[in-house]
Amino acid sequence: MLISHQWLCSLLDLDGPAPDADALATILTGLGLEVEAMHRHGAGVEAILVAEIRGKAPHPQAGKLTVVELFDGERTLSVCCGASNLPPVGGKVALAPIGARLPGGLEIAPRELRGVASQGMICSETELEIGVDGDGILILPDEFPAGARLHTLVPGMVDTVLELGVTPNRPDALGHIGVARDVVAYLSSRPGGRAALKLPPAPAVMAPQDPQLVSIAAPDRCGRYLGYAISGVKVGPSPLWLRVRLHRLGLRPISNLVDITNLVLMEFGQPLHAFDRSKLAEGRVVVRRAHHEEGLRTLDGTDRALAQDDLVIADADDAQALAGVMGGAASAVSAGTTELLLEAAWFAPPGIRVSARRHALATDASYRYERGVDHGAGLERAALRALALIAELAHGRCIAQAEALGARPPRPVIDLRPARAEALLGVAVPTLEALAIFRGLEIEVDVDGLSDRGPTERDAAETILLADPETPNRSPRWSPSWRCVAPTHRPDLQREADLIDELMRHHGLDHVPARFCVPREARPAASADAMSVRGDLLSDGLREAGLQEIVSLAFVAEEKLLHFSDSHDGVPEDRFVRVANPMRGAGVMRTKLVPGLLDALVHNTARHGRPVRLFELGRVYAWPRGQVDPVGFPAGFPVGTRAVDVQLPHERTLAGLLLHAGGRAHADPRVLTGAVAHAIGRLGHRLHLSHGTGTHAAPTVSWLHPGAQIRLAVASVSGPVDIGVAGELHPELIAAWGLPDGLRVAYAEIDLAALPTAAVAKAREIPRFPATSRDLSLEIPITLPAAAVLTALRSAAAVLPAPGEDPVRLQAGEDIELLEDYRGAGVPEGHRALLLRLHYAAAGRSVTDAEVSPLHAAIVEQACLALRARAPSVRPR
Amino acid sequence: MSPLLAAQIQQFHAALASVTSEEALYELQVAYLGKKGSVTALKGEMGKLPPAERKDFGAAWNRTRDEIEAALERHRDVLKARARDLDLARVVDLSMPPLRPPVGSLHPLTQTRRRLSETFIRLGFDVAVGPHVEGEQFNFDDLNIGKDHPARDMADTFFVEPAAIRGLAPGDVQELVLRTHTSPVQIRTMRTRKPPIRIIAPGTTFRRDDDATHSPMFHQIEGLYIDEGVSLADLKATLMAFTEDFFGQRLAVRFRPSFFPFVEPGAEFDLGCPFCSGRGCNLCKHTGYIEIGGCGMVHPGVLEHCGIDSERYTGWAFGFGIDRMTMMLHQIPHLRLMFEGDTRFLEQFPC
């Protein structure tokens, strides 16, 4: 909302000077009407004079120029002018004298134009920045005296316009009077302050009532409708002051009638509409719902199909306006209009909002109606103000008037307890200040039953109270609550808290002290929710493992998720959670973290060749499989109501790890599983890598390389628990993201919720005596997992009889190391050689070679035997 | 002295002069005094001497051994000193660029979120979470943002296509949205817990904004305190205590009246600029304050929607953006840096 400082101050009745623009801005921001910007207009126009044309002659050398003799109030000057619309001798124009500096920066200096001296410049509206008229120079009214400073005759030529951010609860602040009322309440509640609202004249009209003029057929949608029939209108341009005022507020002057309704809109915040009454069938209007398949061509020239809950203003036959949104083209005011029907109305906000949305029409009118305009005295006053201006500027005479009523919102009666206000704010607003604030805001207050004694007596009592400096902050004389009636221009005032807010705004939030209601020390200990703690620990572990965390958008393009829509290891399309109105083409809530991590990888590889080690901890989304289970749904969140929660999709938190070795190098999968092992170690878990065995073999994950993947699991009391998967991303994915063919990217996924509650780590005895080691080179088929070899060796060591009281065993903790996975010369096709180192120790003594060697041989033999059941070609080298 | 011993000494000294390492010195020691050393061997010669000469020879041999041992010891000290001098003459350039281990990093948003959570936990606030996909009831209606409320314009909302769920009464069907703020967590908490309630709710939020200063996905933190006798003064005290812990200095808290449908009175709050302690600098545009977020006393209607007695209990709520706070703290110039995952950006925030 743009507010003219000059206009606003003209609405204030003050003892002293009005606040300057900066002071006003501070006051308004302090009141919650935040000044977001200030625009100062009219720099330099103080120098512009009214000048009278005393003579005109063609320029002797230049056919397009005229040499004009101008009287500036003191002397006659000659000025060259190229405008084609110069008024005749005796006409008045705006003269920029020598030395003046125009708002655009042009400095006026004596000039010679082809041999003729020019002692100034005749200005156009554009040059003075008071309009956009490009036709020619500004022609001033004849009554302006020559020699006067123009800006003293045209209010608003020198002005500061404040850009207010008006919150949706304050429709009253969408007009200058509403803003002025807030300023009045503020100034008058300051110590010794006195301020009142100075409303523009709006004399009552004497025209007869004609109930036929307007009627309401949808009383639930229109609470009040005032109609005025006006005759003898002469449409023409608006006077300069009106044009300047609208121009300052960013509105284009059109014609006197349109400009008057716009002025009243900006003054009262009340939209008005003027119909050409001669175009209305039977010259009357009815407020009704649209008929089935009714149409309307609105002022913007668009033909609109109306819905049956669109409210229209119709004549005896057809819809003539979309109520509260936009007028119709058929009955629009035109240059030849002489008869008017002026509308001032209150429409129910929800209906206007729905219609404006449906027709995608956001107008100044709908913006105000959907927030709620004044349905009381302000409505009538705005209409009367427009009538007075129409009479003055367009010679229109009101010949008939009518008021129709529908369901008007009641004026809320609110009991305010000053004690409650103090309890809520933590500070007491002095009684007299509170009364002054409410009086300024036109909130009626019945303090201690004063209203029973009649308005005069109450006013007198309040006046005495306000004038009594001895009782600044004492309330025992007052009852514990004040009965207040909210004014019709403040639809936001509905309950006690709203009135307390008014007190707070005007009293000033700076007065609120900082004071704990319960001392910090007396509060019980607090904690984070379990899932956040778990996520934080896992992130710490991944960070320590050298991975960098990213945050990517939770919605992605559908095609990026189709790679993961295989039904056994992904989320199929029919379970996608779709955004109805997406941006950037990202229309599906992610079902995997892979797309975001791959996008980040692409971003990085396009810019540098260094290794990229990333992780993300984030939610994925899917509709539950089949029917929703209403029990225990959704998991992990405090349940609001089942009725809501049962309708929500599942959200799971995953950790995704992506490793890229830099350039075209291949990521080492052991670094990946190592990072996982370290991170879940943070949560007290040990990693188990397994392909599953026999009939329990894990199914292949379709988006990982079929030969490079493994299940991640951790031990729990009830056996290993699956927590995710690791491997190399499938070559198809690498290709789909435009990465180089053959690039190997390691990827792991951990389901945070699948991690069981961790056990507290238990201490293990540190070996006191040195271990003895034996190396083993074992030739095995490539397809036989190393994990199987290690398991076989450990099982063999566990079952072989160990003689003596303190037998030799594989050393607990660090038992077997994998030194090398060799493929190449000396190893048959399809095979590899694992070089392993086995550590042997006894608990309470050093071991000898003599006892280790046979044990080692026996373990190897036993393990090979077991492994040959799966792969007959296993042999020690 | 036996000429044999004298020759040994002479020979030894000649050899010693050319010894420059401790290893060579040891070899020399072994060559003369070892089990098979040349001086050791001469001791065996003693038996061949007439008994009268044996005593003298024995004494001479002992002197010879002692002299060699002493010379060896002296030479060893010289060598050690020389080696120490050499070592001390070494110059190591520690100004070379450090070789860092490949450590990872937490996203700056995570770092800020954690620090915020830790701070408020110390102030007695539990951390609460909620779903990202919400029903309109919790995201809007219960927060006093009815279907027709103009405040729904304030949040450009992402809507989610609902799933067909059998057995729902038509009146129960919720419009689903990506939560536009973390405030629905307030509702969920108030509906499930009894006062006193003291929570913060950090989390991901979504709005249909996409430009240089807005991302369609962003992060907020919400604070909520409901109990008997809670006032705006308590909020001010809490925010001040927060600044002390989070910024390491007690900063001014300034409220400016504003409007959010779920609080009344409502305000925006500014904190004294942490970079200049309120004296005025470029970062606070010389105002001494930084705009942080919104706050107010929980609207009695919101309490009632959640089944809390609005006469007995009062409470406050606040909320602000974690992204903006993070950008301010680290002086991150562009929002897009936060979401594109450039490792050269991420590595600037090791933690």
Side-chain angles (χ1 to χ4, degrees):
Chain A
M1 176 70 196
L2 295 178
I3 291 289
S4 149
H5 170 251
Q6 184 276 331
W7 192 3
L8 189 90
C9 289
S10 75
L11 297 168
L12 302 176
D13 178 8
L14 305 173
D15 283 344
D20 65 23
D22 293 310
L24 182 68
T26 306
I27 292 172
L28 292 176
T29 297
L31 290 173
L33 299 169
E34 190 184 0
V35 176
E36 291 169 344
M38 291 173 75
H39 308 282
R40 294 174 203 275
H41 295 287
V45 300
E46 292 94 338
I48 308 298
L49 300 173
V50 178
E52 182 182 328
I53 297 179
R54 288 281 168 89
K56 295 200 289 189
H59 192 288
Q61 309 293 327
K64 285 185 178 170
L65 291 181
T66 308
V67 181
V68 188
E69 299 298 315
L70 285 180
F71 177 64
D72 72 355
E74 285 177 6
R75 59 211 169 98
T76 304
L77 316 163
S78 64
V79 172
C80 292
C81 178
S84 57
N85 66 334
L86 270 172
V89 170
K92 304 284 174 59
V93 292
L95 170 68
I98 303 295
R101 191 186 169 90
L102 296 183
L106 179 67
E107 218 160 311
I108 308 298
R111 292 177 72 187
E112 251 196 38
L113 286 161
R114 300 212 184 173
V116 178
S118 184
Q119 297 162 290
M121 181 175 138
I122 301 175
C123 301
S124 70
E125 288 184 22
T126 315
E127 282 153 351
L128 296 176
E129 293 187 356
I130 56 171
V132 289
D133 196 350
D135 279 1
I137 56 158
L138 169 64
I139 298 165
L140 298 174
D142 289 343
E143 63 268 24
F144 279 18
R149 304 226 166 236
L150 182 59
H151 75 277
T152 62
L153 301 170
V154 184
M157 258 186 86
V158 179
D159 199 0
T160 300
V161 171
L162 311 177
E163 227 176 295
L164 297 196
V166 177
T167 50
N169 60 324
R170 291 295 304 278
D172 66 300
L174 297 173
H176 280 68
I177 288 174
V179 176
R181 192 182 284 119
D182 246 17
V183 175
V184 163
Y186 175 82
L187 293 176
S188 64
S189 61
R190 298 301 96 186
R194 194 203 71 81
L197 206 52
K198 193 163 70 189
L199 291 173
V205 286
M206 293 302 138
Q209 297 287 336
D210 175 5
Q212 299 298 311
L213 204 55
V214 298
S215 59
I216 298 177
D220 57 324
R221 299 281 298 273
C222 177
R224 195 175 181 206
Y225 196 103
L226 302 175
Y228 301 88
I230 300 163
S231 187
V233 171
K234 201 162 161 268
V235 176
S238 295
L240 182 60
W241 68 266
L242 179 48
R243 299 203 308 270
V244 171
R245 185 149 275 179
L246 294 180
H247 178 73
R248 285 282 177 259
L249 301 180
L251 293 168
R252 194 165 58 90
I254 293 166
S255 69
N256 48 8
L257 286 182
V258 176
D259 295 350
I260 287 167
T261 55
N262 276 336
L263 182 85
V264 174
L265 179 79
M266 289 298 151
E267 198 163 49
F268 287 83
Q270 172 63 49
L272 301 172
H273 186 65
F275 297 93
D276 184 333
R277 192 168 171 230
S278 67
K279 308 271 174 64
L280 296 176
E282 300 179 18
R284 64 184 179 89
V285 291
V286 56
V287 186
R288 60 164 169 82
R289 286 183 166 79
H291 293 144
H292 182 58
E293 296 195 340
E294 192 170 15
L296 171 69
R297 173 172 291 185
T298 43
L299 274 174
D300 57 0
T302 309
D303 287 314
R304 297 178 187 277
L306 300 176
Q308 272 175 284
D309 70 335
D310 279 333
L311 194 68
V312 299
I313 313 300
D315 61 12
D317 301 328
D318 300 316
Q320 294 294 345
L322 186 56
V325 182
M326 189 176 269
S331 56
V333 169
S334 62
T337 299
T338 59
E339 306 299 306
L340 289 183
L341 193 144
L342 183 73
E343 159 197 300
W346 184 90
F347 301 112
I352 300 300
R353 186 179 148 84
V354 169
S355 282
R357 298 234 135 184
R358 177 181 298 129
H359 297 285
L361 267 177
T363 62
D364 282 339
S366 68
Y367 190 77
R368 286 164 174 81
Y369 279 125
E370 62 182 52
R371 282 161 174 74
V373 299
D374 188 353
H375 56 86
L379 180 66
E380 190 168 5
R381 199 171 178 96
L384 294 177
R385 163 75 164 151
L387 288 177
L389 287 168
I390 290 170
E392 182 190 337
L393 305 178
H395 313 293
R397 194 167 44 83
C398 183
I399 53 168
Q401 57 179 320
E403 173 177 14
L405 292 175
R408 277 170 75 176
R411 291 180 66 182
V413 177
I414 307 164
D415 286 332
L416 172 80
R417 293 160 296 175
R420 177 76 169 179
E422 185 176 349
L424 219 54
L425 301 177
V427 62
V429 180
T431 302
L432 298 185
E433 182 183 334
L435 285 171
I437 291 167
F438 283 169
R439 179 203 294 242
L441 296 173
E442 297 167 26
I443 297 167
E444 291 171 23
V445 187
D446 168 11
V447 184
D448 204 14
L450 276 172
S451 68
D452 297 343
R453 302 175 210 171
T456 319
E457 194 180 349
R458 185 186 66 204
D459 280 359
E462 279 188 20
T463 309
I464 293 163
L465 277 170
L466 288 166
D468 182 1
E470 297 303 311
T471 55
N473 191 14
R474 286 174 46 203
S475 55
R477 297 173 53 188
W478 307 103
S479 69
S481 84
W482 304 353
R483 179 141 295 191
C484 303
V485 184
T488 49
H489 55 259
R490 288 295 301 272
D492 59 317
L493 303 183
Q494 295 290 335
R495 29 194 317 177
E496 189 182 28
D498 303 322
L499 295 183
I500 294 173
D501 180 56
E502 295 303 301
L503 293 180
M504 181 205 79
R505 286 197 304 130
H506 286 87
H507 181 59
L509 276 163
D510 290 343
H511 293 107
V512 174
R515 190 177 59 225
F516 283 117
C517 62
V518 174
R520 280 179 67 172
E521 305 73 41
R523 297 176 179 186
S527 64
D529 69 290
M531 279 297 269
S532 302
V533 171
R534 185 181 285 193
D536 285 353
L537 284 172
L538 195 70
S539 304
D540 283 336
L542 293 171
R543 174 181 66 77
E544 288 157 357
L547 276 67
Q548 296 178 314
E549 187 188 19
I550 66 160
V551 173
S552 59
L553 296 188
F555 25 62
V556 295
E558 175 164 3
E559 65 265 21
K560 291 186 175 177
L561 292 175
L562 292 177
H563 299 285
F564 315 97
S565 57
D566 194 287
S567 61
H568 83 261
D569 59 34
V571 174
E573 279 172 83
D574 59 352
R575 290 175 53 211
F576 280 3
V577 178
R578 294 173 188 279
V579 179
N581 52 344
M583 294 182 93
R584 300 187 190 174
V588 181
M589 300 305 289
R590 63 186 174 193
T591 58
K592 283 280 173 216
L593 300 177
V594 189
L597 283 157
L598 270 177
D599 286 347
L601 175 63
V602 168
H603 172 94
N604 280 291
T605 53
R607 286 163 179 81
H608 61 77
R610 292 155 54 185
V612 181
R613 294 177 289 256
L614 303 174
F615 79 97
E616 179 165 18
L617 191 79
R619 292 201 198 159
V620 295
Y621 311 80
W623 290 108
R625 226 177 250 109
Q627 260 307 294
V628 172
D629 171 15
V631 178
F633 179 85
F637 303 115
V639 173
T641 66
R642 183 143 323 239
V644 173
D645 290 340
V646 79
Q647 299 180 47
L648 303 180
H650 277 310
E651 297 182 16
R652 284 193 307 151
T653 301
L654 298 183
L657 290 68
L658 180 143
L659 295 183
H660 158 71
R664 297 221 164 190
H666 298 316
D668 182 349
R670 288 184 73 189
V671 175
L672 177 75
T673 49
V676 173
H678 174 78
I680 63 169
R682 271 289 211 151
L683 292 155
H685 290 298
R686 286 193 67 181
L687 180 62
H688 286 249
L689 296 169
S690 137
H691 292 281
T693 48
T695 53
H696 297 100
T700 309
V701 173
S702 61
W703 47 274
L704 291 173
H705 188 292
Q709 55 176 277
I710 198 155
R711 306 300 307 180
L712 304 172
V714 297
S716 80
V717 282
S718 51
V721 175
D722 222 9
I723 59 159
V725 65
E728 279 176 15
L729 286 176
H730 199 284
E732 295 286 354
L733 274 183
I734 300 297
W737 258 263
L739 290 159
D741 278 347
L743 183 72
R744 295 180 198 163
V745 177
Y747 190 89
E749 174 184 286
I750 302 171
D751 184 346
L752 207 60
L755 282 164
T757 307
V760 175
K762 293 191 177 62
R764 191 176 59 221
E765 198 175 358
I766 299 168
R768 282 186 297 144
F769 294 90
T772 298
S773 63
R774 289 288 181 277
D775 286 358
L776 165 66
S777 181
L778 205 60
E779 193 176 285
I780 59 170
I782 279 172
T783 50
L784 184 67
V789 172
L790 296 179
T791 306
L793 287 166
R794 287 182 183 125
S795 309
V799 298
L800 278 169
E805 270 181 24
D806 186 3
V808 184
R809 296 196 175 283
L810 276 177
Q811 179 176 263
E814 195 191 339
D815 58 352
I816 307 173
E817 280 179 89
L818 175 58
L819 301 178
E820 199 185 352
D821 176 4
Y822 175 77
R823 298 154 200 232
V827 179
E829 185 68 22
H831 284 69
R832 57 179 172 160
L834 293 185
L835 182 60
L836 302 153
R837 179 165 295 164
L838 289 77
H839 300 276
Y840 294 94
R845 61 191 176 88
S846 295
V847 294
T848 62
D849 283 353
E851 52 186 341
V852 167
S853 294
L855 177 64
H856 178 69
I859 287 175
V860 170
E861 192 186 333
Q862 179 82 26
C864 286
L865 206 63
L867 286 169
R868 280 189 201 109
R870 275 179 76 178
S873 60
V874 168
R875 68 177 186 90
R877 279 151 53 91
Chain B
M1 175 171 291
S2 152
L4 282 172
L5 288 171
Q8 283 293 321
I9 285 175
Q10 203 177 0
Q11 227 174 357
F12 168 79
H13 281 296
L16 185 66
S18 63
V19 167
T20 55
S21 72
E22 289 200 52
E23 293 79 20
L25 192 67
Y26 180 72
E27 279 168 25
L28 193 65
Q29 181 173 2
V30 171
Y32 285 85
L33 298 180
K35 270 186 192 168
K36 294 170 183 167
S38 52
V39 174
T40 312
L42 284 180
K43 199 172 184 182
E45 298 293 312
M46 194 156 68
K48 297 175 190 166
L49 290 178
E53 291 177 29
R54 278 182 202 169
K55 195 179 170 193
D56 282 350
F57 184 84
W61 188 90
N62 281 341
R63 276 199 306 279
T64 303
R65 184 200 61 199
D66 291 349
E67 185 181 338
I68 289 175
E69 276 183 346
L72 282 168
E73 203 51 46
R74 277 196 309 276
H75 199 78
R76 188 167 285 125
D77 287 346
V78 168
L79 285 181
K80 275 192 171 155
R82 194 180 297 158
R84 171 66 50 84
D85 287 346
L86 261 178
D87 185 47
L88 286 175
R90 209 162 39 86
V91 174
V92 177
D93 184 3
L94 280 165
S95 77
M96 287 194 295
L99 286 180
R100 291 168 187 249
V103 293
S105 59
L106 295 179
H107 195 279
L109 279 172
T110 302
Q111 296 184 29
T112 309
R113 194 254 305 151
R114 284 197 190 182
R115 282 188 55 211
L116 291 168
S117 295
E118 286 158 10
T119 298
F120 281 106
I121 287 172
R122 280 192 284 274
L123 287 168
F125 290 77
D126 290 328
V127 179
V129 293
H132 295 168
V133 181
E134 262 294 4
E136 59 184 333
Q137 186 187 338
F138 297 161
N139 193 73
F140 290 129
D141 297 340
D142 282 354
L143 290 160
N144 281 349
I145 311 170
K147 235 188 181 39
D148 300 315
H149 202 294
R152 281 207 182 185
D153 289 346
M154 291 165 84
D156 265 316
T157 309
F158 282 110
F159 291 94
V160 170
E161 292 176 8
I165 295 169
R166 258 183 308 203
L168 278 182
D172 288 344
V173 174
Q174 291 276 319
E175 194 156 51
L176 302 185
V177 301
L178 297 185
R179 66 178 181 189
T180 57
H181 43 191
T182 42
S183 307
V185 182
Q186 281 187 26
I187 300 295
R188 290 176 171 275
T189 308
M190 286 193 281
R191 279 173 170 272
T192 47
R193 284 170 62 170
K194 296 260 170 293
I197 292 168
R198 212 183 283 113
I199 59 149
I200 53 156
T204 310
T205 47
F206 305 87
R207 285 185 202 173
R208 294 194 82 245
D209 269 337
D210 196 359
D211 58 40
T213 54
H214 295 91
S215 163
M217 184 182 100
F218 57 105
H219 302 80
Q220 278 193 341
I221 185 167
E222 187 100 357
L224 175 74
Y225 182 17
I226 311 281
D227 201 354
E228 291 177 27
V230 176
S231 74
L232 214 48
D234 184 86
L235 174 57
K236 208 171 210 176
T238 304
L239 290 173
M240 275 189 173
F242 158 73
T243 62
E244 224 169 1
D245 189 314
F246 191 80
F247 294 105
Q249 52 183 320
R250 194 172 180 82
L251 298 172
V253 174
R254 183 171 73 179
F255 291 146
R256 284 175 292 119
S258 189
F259 169 72
F260 306 95
F262 37 95
V263 288
E264 185 79 310
E268 296 192 43
F269 70 99
D270 307 336
L271 298 180
C273 176
F275 304 105
C276 60
S277 303
R279 284 187 295 273
C281 64
N282 284 335
L283 290 162
C284 62
K285 299 184 191 109
H286 300 281
T287 61
Y289 284 92
I290 303 254
E291 293 180 19
I292 302 291
C295 64
M297 298 304 292
V298 178
H299 195 286
V302 172
L303 295 174
E304 288 151 19
H305 289 146
C306 299
I308 291 177
D309 180 350
S310 65
E311 269 302 305
R312 182 171 166 200
Y313 295 106
T314 54
W316 54 247
F318 71 81
F320 61 86
I322 300 179
D323 310 63
R324 263 202 58 212
M325 174 76 80
T326 304
M327 292 178 72
M328 181 185 84
L329 285 173
H330 298 290
Q331 294 169 38
I332 295 168
H334 305 294
L335 184 62
R336 58 175 170 74
L337 287 167
M338 307 269 264
F339 301 108
E340 60 192 16
D342 195 311
T343 56
R344 296 164 302 174
F345 169 74
L346 300 171
E347 72 192 11
Q348 296 171 30
F349 310 97
C351 164

